[in-house]
Amino acid sequence: QVQLVESGGGLVQAGGSLKLSCAASGRTFSSYGMGWFRQAPGKEREFVAAINWSGGITYYADPVKGRFTISRDNAKNTMYLQMTSLKPEDTAIYYCASRRQPRTYGTSSFTKDYDYWGQGTQVTVSS
């Protein structure tokens, strides 16, 4: 059974930083691309960032480009999201997700391409 567990969320002032982690278990982590998504109250889940299985390809949503950095440590079965210059509009529940197919080329921003999801971690940015 695949499990994804997010951690690192919390309350931070605007301009601050947080680093989220996503610990994976249950299948060969290093074979699957991963992604971060977020959902704010009353809004649909939206794409934040993605990384391919090797870590060599990354992709970001425009609102976070230049502020967030996605990375992974395949030896630790863990993915990260370093968030800097946080804004109140970044407030949301952040979810990590694992791609359906192993060793796919590139990344994906579409939820349909991910089959396992974590429970989410709350990030709140105060103004």
Side-chain angles (χ1 to χ4, degrees):
Q1 180 71 14
V2 176
Q3 283 194 321
L4 302 175
V5 180
E6 303 96 336
S7 61
L11 173 63
V12 64
Q13 288 189 333
S17 300
L18 280 175
K19 186 173 185 178
L20 306 183
S21 298
C22 172
S25 62
R27 65 183 180 187
T28 307
F29 176 76
S30 59
S31 294
Y32 292 84
M34 300 287 293
W36 286 99
F37 293 78
R38 66 187 181 186
Q39 188 166 17
K43 295 188 176 182
E44 293 188 353
R45 190 169 298 190
E46 66 174 3
F47 169 74
V48 175
I51 189 166
N52 78 326
W53 57 274
S54 69
I57 300 173
T58 59
Y59 179 61
Y60 298 91
D62 285 344
V64 308
K65 203 171 294 183
R67 300 188 298 122
F68 290 11
T69 303
I70 189 171
S71 62
R72 65 189 297 160
D73 185 338
N74 285 343
K76 295 183 178 180
N77 290 348
T78 303
M79 176 181 65
Y80 305 97
L81 185 68
Q82 177 68 55
M83 305 185 294
T84 63
S85 301
L86 282 161
K87 304 175 181 180
E89 51 264 44
D90 294 319
T91 295
I93 299 174
Y94 283 70
Y95 300 90
C96 66
S98 180
R99 292 288 299 272
R100 291 185 183 277
Q101 301 296 328
R103 295 185 178 263
T104 51
Y105 179 79
T107 61
S108 172
S109 61
F110 300 104
T111 57
K112 66 178 180 61
D113 290 332
Y114 296 83
D115 58 351
Y116 289 100
W117 295 79
Q119 82 290 348
T121 186
Q122 177 71 48
V123 172
T124 303
V125 184
S126 63
S127 57

